Amino acid sequence: MPLICDKVAFTYPGAELPLFTDVSFELAAPGFHSFFGPSGVGKTSLARIITGDIAQFSGRVATDGLANLLYSHNKERLPGWSGVGRHLTRVIPPSMQAGIDELVEIFGLSDCIGSRFDQLSMGQQNRVNLIRYLLQDCDLLIMDESLANVDELTRERIILAVKAMFPRRYFIYISHNVVEVARFCDAILVFRGRGKTPQTVMVQGCNIRTKDDLSRAALDATLLEIMNAA
Amino acid sequence: MLPRRVFQFLIIYFLFLCGLMALKYGLALSDYVIPAPVGIYHTLIAEYRQYSLATMNTMTVAVIGQVISVGMALVIGIAGRQSTWLGSFIKVAAFNFQAYPIVALAPILFILLGDGFLTRLLIAAMICYFPVLLSVLGIMSKPVDDIEHFYRVTGRMRWQLEVKIRTFENLTQLTTVIAGSATLAMAGTIVGEFIAANAGIGYSIRIALYQSDLGKILIALFLIGITIAVYQALLESLGVVIKRAWTGR
């Protein structure tokens, strides 16, 4: 059940120039993949095309066999009328509830589970939002800057835990942190600057699963490849 | 909140009185046109009881009218929030109806229903209704995407939840609109009474007008103003209590 995009093109309504044209790639297997590139090149738009939030595009997006495609981003908020813990219990399906405590612990949120959302820092808010998406029954989760404002060590712990806990799920991680993307991601779709052809290039990331996996030479090579592609 | 509202009203009212007195003594107008402060005081003593009861009568109609109009505005506003044919129709109809002055329709109501309680209530409710409806429609039609997105993509969104989110996010605006609509309901009731009713402070003002008794009108204005100030302060306090209970702040 691969995810395939074939010659996908998108133009904002009313815009003269297309945001991107002829974007083609295939994610053959589940894993922690990424969209990487400068701001405004269409990463979020492509993500929303894949999850069906944007319907006016040309080309083909095949998600056959993938049920429940979710898109999450870092600007989301929880309703303010209840505490974080109560909200998570209410929106997470019973079959996934067992994972709440584990993820809360890994995500470093044990101390603020009784707080309301607006009492949390931005990094804590993003982590809470990500937990409720992770514990949904889905085959693909797009994380658009979902770990913004989170410190580097916690981000590393979270990404490694997510990869270990959900090995059969597709993830598309949108981030501007090139080192993070190069270290943790499997397939990296690099969006190139405007006017360049082709507009995207697929690069293989290091895809580490533990802290100790990383080879310095492999990381350097991946970083070089990404920077050359961009 | 209550003392501030009352204090604000008293300042405005006494500034208005000072302006009238400046006009009276500046232009040497007779007591028949603008009564002297002593004359106003005597009128207050003489009419205080009757005018207070009339104001309470008007206020009762205004409060019932406001409750009805806010209830109706919430129901229609919630029904009209969607981008469906019905939602668009309700929005267009609300905008067109509110452009028509309700006061101009009042005589029709008096002809059809007489000059009793029901007519006053209808006029109060109609004058109060459309501004509240437009605010509710505006609030309910505007998605709170950063909260609603999760519920939509996970298939959990229900209309009750949508209304709850939008109400919660616009609670301050809603309570302000509802508190403000008290003035409209009172104005509507007085206008109705002024046109043709047989009770209420508007009716008393009409009689004072026929008698060219500015003193009585000034007393009526004082009682109307102080009553609205107290009522609005109570509504605002209620809004604060609801907000505190719901948001925990």
Side-chain angles (χ1 to χ4, degrees), chain B residues 51 72 94 129 131 151 201 224:
Chain B
Y51 273 36
M72 276 171 52
Y129 170 67
Y151 293 102
I201 195 69
I224 291 167

Side-chain angles (χ1 to χ4, degrees), chain A residues 89-182:
Chain A
T89 314
R90 291 178 72 114
V91 300
I92 290 168
S95 59
M96 311 283 269
Q97 296 254 339
I100 295 179
D101 289 342
E102 188 181 358
L103 280 182
V104 165
E105 180 66 34
I106 292 167
F107 279 47
L109 295 169
S110 303
D111 295 337
C112 50
I113 206 73
S115 308
R116 286 176 191 254
F117 190 72
D118 60 0
Q119 295 170 322
L120 306 181
S121 72
M122 288 167 75
Q124 288 171 328
Q125 291 180 343
N126 286 336
R127 279 177 276 168
V128 168
N129 184 44
L130 184 55
I131 286 179
R132 64 178 182 164
Y133 274 99
L134 285 169
L135 294 177
Q136 299 298 320
D137 186 17
C138 67
D139 289 333
L140 180 142
L141 175 60
I142 297 177
M143 300 158 57
D144 193 348
E145 299 273 10
S146 292
L147 291 174
N149 303 105
V150 179
D151 66 89
E152 203 168 326
L153 284 176
T154 309
R155 275 208 313 263
E156 180 180 304
R157 192 170 70 234
I158 289 171
I159 292 173
L160 290 175
V162 167
K163 292 174 75 167
M165 287 175 73
F166 305 97
R168 282 191 297 223
R169 190 181 287 183
Y170 281 87
F171 289 96
I172 295 177
Y173 183 56
I174 300 178
S175 169
H176 290 109
N177 186 327
V178 63
V179 178
E180 190 174 68
V181 166

